[in-house]
Amino acid sequence: IVETQPLSLENLVEILQLEESGPLPQQARLLAEAGMTLTWTPEACAAIAQVAMDNGSGARGLRPEVEGLPRGLLVAGAPGSYRLRVGP
């Protein structure tokens, strides 16, 4: 048995954005296939990571959080582009 320390919020934000395997870049690539661009703010990344921490799901919970983002969080930008926002 190996004991590990819980991941910090900063660890989860880093995992969320990993270029090859991070949930946000993967979601951006999927949207790119449909001709859309997805960008995200540091605040959005921290909010997604915080939800995963609050749920106790850690890194495994990041992908479901990104895949389940309400459409209301995607804000239209230039034609075919969206950004992920947090807040009112």
Side-chain angles (χ1 to χ4, degrees):
I1 297 177
V2 176
E3 277 191 47
T4 60
Q5 297 297 318
L7 295 171
S8 69
L9 184 66
E10 292 79 20
N11 295 142
L12 292 175
V13 168
E14 184 177 327
I15 292 166
L16 190 61
Q17 300 179 81
L18 287 172
E19 189 59 39
E20 290 299 315
S21 60
L24 284 174
Q26 286 183 356
Q27 192 71 13
R29 286 191 290 275
L30 285 172
L31 289 172
E33 291 176 11
M36 295 181 272
T37 303
L38 176 67
T39 59
W40 47 87
T41 65
E43 295 84 9
C45 294
I48 294 167
Q50 187 64 57
V51 169
M53 284 185 78
D54 292 347
N55 290 339
S57 57
R60 283 186 281 260
L62 293 173
R63 185 169 318 285
E65 290 302 329
V66 169
E67 290 172 352
L69 286 173
R71 296 249 182 244
L73 290 179
L74 296 177
V75 179
S81 74
Y82 294 84
R83 64 186 168 86
L84 186 58
R85 71 166 171 84
V86 172

